[in-house]
Amino acid sequence: MNSAVLLVILFFVGTSATLKCQHPPSQWCSSWEIAKACQVEEQCLDYNNRKDIKKNNEQNVNLELYYESLCGGCRKFLALQLYPTFLMLYDIMNITLVPYGNAQEKNVSGKWEYVCQHGPEECYGNAIEACLIHLLPEIGSYFPVIDCMEMSPNVTEALKPCLQAHEPELPVKTVLDCVNGDLGNKLMHANAQRTQALNPPHQYVPWIVINAKHDDDLQMRAQNALFNLVCELYKGQKPEACTGKDLTPLKRESVCLN
């Protein structure tokens, strides 16, 4: 579904909203409070998840990372492979981060509750990172914060110093209000649905999907030398970074079985 179609849906959904909606359609997805007032929360989540996709280069390598915040293998792949590759090859990549992993959800009295592989702290970390992805405008804003957290000894306690280092204009309170509120719960449910829809179903994390495909070969090559793989898969004119010497492949990191 493209953005134009989503906006049309938003318009027709909004016409049935309560009188609390006092905003024009162009503003319905500008904040969570306005989306709730106009009863278009689910549509805005979908719209905001899609609007940042780069459409100017269909040759870009698309990479989706399904992970969990406290999985050792996930942290190593994100910090040692994905983030460095992102820094050098951002212009030829589309990266989607989906923090959820091997968690389980259940609906309790209309609210989603989560059990995570590495305990409640991991659920908290997943929600923090989901909220950062939603609240910050683009991957160049939220990925440095997430990488900073995942590189830290304590992922969740690193939120404040990592925000101060990379995005000081975003208050910690805004992130925590998202995590502990209705928005964070809905974001995690969206990540759960996306993870559960994987085909083939994920068997472990990090689970890496490249150009809508996952197999053992792609997974191993991504975990060993992602930079080289992205340069190989990109079919356009190679950026200068790809014409230099290959990065030294790293030993394949561990995974967290599902």
Side-chain angles (χ1 to χ4, degrees):
M1 183 184 301
N2 61 38
S3 297
V5 174
L6 280 166
L7 287 173
V8 171
I9 292 174
L10 285 172
F11 175 79
F12 285 106
V13 171
T15 58
S16 63
T18 68
L19 294 178
K20 292 188 295 182
C21 181
Q22 301 295 325
H23 305 276
S26 61
Q27 296 180 7
W28 285 348
C29 295
S30 62
S31 76
W32 184 246
E33 291 74 17
I34 293 175
K36 287 184 67 176
C38 298
Q39 299 180 10
V40 290
E41 303 103 300
E42 297 293 338
Q43 291 80 8
C44 284
L45 284 175
D46 193 18
Y47 174 66
N48 285 328
N49 282 338
R50 295 170 185 268
K51 71 178 181 180
D52 289 331
I53 296 175
K54 295 192 288 293
K55 299 177 181 178
N56 60 336
N57 190 345
E58 294 181 355
Q59 297 171 318
N60 279 6
V61 177
N62 297 295
L63 186 147
E64 302 165 35
L65 174 63
Y66 296 82
Y67 73 105
E68 51 198 27
S69 61
L70 299 188
C71 165
C74 300
R75 297 174 69 181
K76 290 175 182 176
F77 173 74
L78 190 150
L80 299 180
Q81 291 284 352
L82 184 56
Y83 189 65
T85 301
F86 159 76
L87 291 178
M88 292 182 287
L89 300 179
Y90 169 75
D91 288 340
I92 66 169
M93 296 182 72
N94 299 324
I95 297 174
T96 301
L97 302 178
V98 186
Y100 183 78
N102 297 331
Q104 301 291 327
E105 71 170 359
K106 62 178 179 179
N107 192 312
V108 179
S109 301
K111 184 176 181 178
W112 296 101
E113 294 187 358
Y114 298 92
V115 176
C116 294
Q117 184 172 16
H118 300 95
E121 189 75 5
E122 181 166 79
C123 289
Y124 186 50
N126 291 346
I128 288 175
E129 295 184 8
C131 285
L132 288 169
I133 292 167
H134 180 80
L135 294 170
L136 289 168
E138 58 184 21
I139 191 168
S141 300
Y142 61 76
F143 202 178
V145 182
I146 291 175
D147 175 69
C148 175
M149 291 174 59
E150 294 293 341
M151 286 282 286
S152 302
N154 188 303
V155 172
T156 57
E157 289 185 3
L159 171 62
K160 182 175 181 179
C162 289
L163 271 180
Q164 290 175 341
H166 296 284
E167 290 292 330
E169 294 185 1
L170 177 62
V172 174
K173 183 180 184 301
T174 300
V175 179
L176 296 183
D177 285 347
C178 169
V179 170
N180 297 315
D182 190 45
L183 174 55
N185 194 255
K186 289 181 180 294
L187 290 171
M188 288 311 304
H189 177 54
N191 283 357
Q193 290 184 307
R194 187 164 189 163
T195 302
Q196 292 161 6
L198 282 167
N199 185 18
H202 83 285
Q203 301 171 17
Y204 49 80
V205 289
W207 188 262
I208 303 162
V209 178
I210 298 180
N211 292 337
K213 179 181 178 182
H214 173 91
D215 60 33
D216 290 343
D217 180 64
L218 277 175
Q219 176 84 23
M220 183 174 295
R221 294 178 69 193
Q223 288 196 257
N224 284 340
L226 179 64
F227 177 90
N228 298 340
L229 178 60
V230 172
C231 285
E232 176 187 326
L233 293 177
Y234 182 63
K235 301 306 181 185
Q237 182 175 351
K238 306 292 185 186
E240 185 175 350
C242 287
T243 62
K245 294 181 179 179
D246 290 346
L247 293 183
T248 302
L250 296 173
K251 183 178 179 180
R252 186 182 186 191
E253 307 299 339
S254 60
V255 297
C256 294
L257 294 174
N258 183 11

